[in-house]
């Protein structure tokens, strides 16, 4: 039985890919290397990764130096914050989804973004009151695609993975969700998120669990003769 629904942030509740892309390029453009990333490259290689992981890739390819990390991250976060405050707005559909689901399930947001980004988005969406808690990349040692962020949710709520449903859009997020052992709904963008999709997925999970339970009982009856 599903007890908890966990939402990724970017690409699921808000569309901030371009915001992160612009902010990173502004910060990179002011670095010594002045490295610029194309939008297609950002989506293909960096989407869903924390800023520091993006910089590690660039550093490994000798496109920036590690000594510039702190300066780039600081500027990138500042630009991101400014853009989020101006561009993330109330979404009636998301509000309705969270209002409805919160009556029956624990609702969690687990993001590879920093805490400030998550807080701004949740505040502007006006869904804080429906969420039990959120976790950011500052709450884990290993960000997605490692499943740590989801494992921490399970432990905090004392849930088994099979009692949790995760909604993810990016490749890295989906890999983390799969490796956590939880159920997964993969979506492509915010417009695909709707109450019907979530409820149908939960009903399908319930049905599958009933079938599995009956099959186990049937096998037990075959293996263990009745007295």
């Amino acid at each position: 039985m599903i007890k908890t629904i966990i939402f990724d942030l970017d690409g699921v509740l808000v569309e901030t890919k371009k915001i992160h892309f612009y902010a990173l390029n502004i910060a990179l453009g002011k670095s010594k290397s002045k490295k610029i990333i194309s939008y297609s490259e950002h989506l293909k290689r960096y989407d869903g990764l924390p800023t520091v992981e993006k910089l590690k890739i660039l550093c490994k390819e000798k496109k920036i130096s590690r000594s510039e990390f702190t300066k780039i991250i600081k500027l990138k976060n500042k630009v991101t914050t400014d853009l989020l405050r101006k561009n993330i707005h109330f979404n009636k559909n998301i509000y309705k989804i969270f209002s409805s689901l919160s009556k029956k399930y624990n609702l969690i947001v687990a993001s590879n973004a920093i805490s400030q980004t998550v807080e701004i988005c949740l505040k502007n969406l006006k869904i804080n009151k429906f969420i039990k808690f959120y976790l950011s990349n500052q709450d884990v040692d290993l960000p997605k695609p490692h499943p740590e962020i989801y494992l921490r949710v399970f432990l905090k709520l004392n849930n088994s993975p099979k009692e949790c449903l995760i909604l993810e859009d990016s490749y890295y997020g989906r890999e983390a969700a799969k490796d956590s052992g939880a159920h997964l709904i993969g979506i492509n963008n915010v417009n695909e998120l709707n109450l019907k999709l979530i409820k149908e997925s939960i009903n399908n999970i319930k049905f599958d669990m009933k079938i599995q339970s009956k099959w186990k009982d049937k096998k037990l009856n075959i293996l263990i003769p009745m007295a």
Side-chain angles (χ1 to χ4, degrees), residues 3-7 101-102 104-108 130 132 157 159:
K3 295 181 179 178
T4 299
I5 303 175
I6 310 170
F7 296 82
L101 294 176
S102 65
K104 189 173 181 180
Y105 305 99
N106 298 315
L107 303 184
I108 313 296
F130 303 123
K132 200 149 188 92
L157 294 174
N159 286 162

Side-chain angles (χ1 to χ4, degrees), residues 167-183:
L167 286 88
E168 277 281 3
D169 71 306
S170 72
Y171 169 78
Y172 294 114
R174 293 185 191 192
E175 288 301 299
K178 290 174 186 175
D179 289 344
S180 76
H183 301 281

Side-chain angles (χ1 to χ4, degrees), residues 188-204:
N188 295 312
N189 55 64
V190 176
N191 294 327
E192 288 187 5
L193 183 65
N194 63 75
L195 199 54
K196 182 181 179 182
L197 171 68
I198 296 171
K199 288 185 174 181
E200 285 181 351
S201 296
I202 292 173
N203 287 334
N204 289 336

Side-chain angles (χ1 to χ4, degrees), residues 200-225:
E200 285 181 351
S201 296
I202 292 173
N203 287 334
N204 289 336
I205 291 168
K206 286 180 181 178
F207 179 76
D208 289 343
M209 290 176 71
K210 285 182 181 179
I211 295 297
Q212 290 173 14
S213 178
K214 286 181 180 179
W215 177 243
K216 285 181 181 178
D217 290 343
K218 186 177 180 180
K219 286 205 298 185
L220 281 172
N221 288 333
I222 293 172
L223 294 172
I224 304 173

Side-chain angles (χ1 to χ4, degrees), residues 120-143:
I120 291 171
C121 292
L122 297 184
K123 180 182 178 181
N124 288 13
L125 289 172
K126 299 182 180 180
I127 56 174
N128 276 310
K129 61 185 176 182
F130 303 123
I131 295 171
K132 200 149 188 92
F133 61 86
Y134 74 81
L135 292 180
S136 72
N137 68 21
Q138 293 169 299
D139 298 307
V140 297
D141 296 316
L142 300 168

Side-chain angles (χ1 to χ4, degrees), residues 65-119:
S65 66
R66 186 169 287 273
S67 63
E68 296 183 275
F69 276 29
T70 300
K71 182 180 178 181
I72 292 172
I73 290 172
K74 186 177 180 180
L75 178 56
K76 191 270 181 183
N77 288 345
K78 182 183 182 304
V79 175
T80 299
T81 297
D82 292 340
L83 290 173
L84 288 172
R85 286 181 173 144
K86 294 175 183 176
N87 293 282
I88 300 302
H89 307 292
F90 176 76
N91 183 309
K92 187 176 180 180
N93 178 54
I94 290 175
Y95 187 91
K96 179 183 176 181
I97 290 171
F98 274 71
S99 175
S100 175
L101 294 176
S102 65
K103 296 169 185 175
K104 189 173 181 180
Y105 305 99
N106 298 315
L107 303 184
I108 313 296
V109 172
S111 173
N112 254 1
I114 62 172
S115 293
Q116 188 176 37
T117 292
V118 181
E119 288 172 3

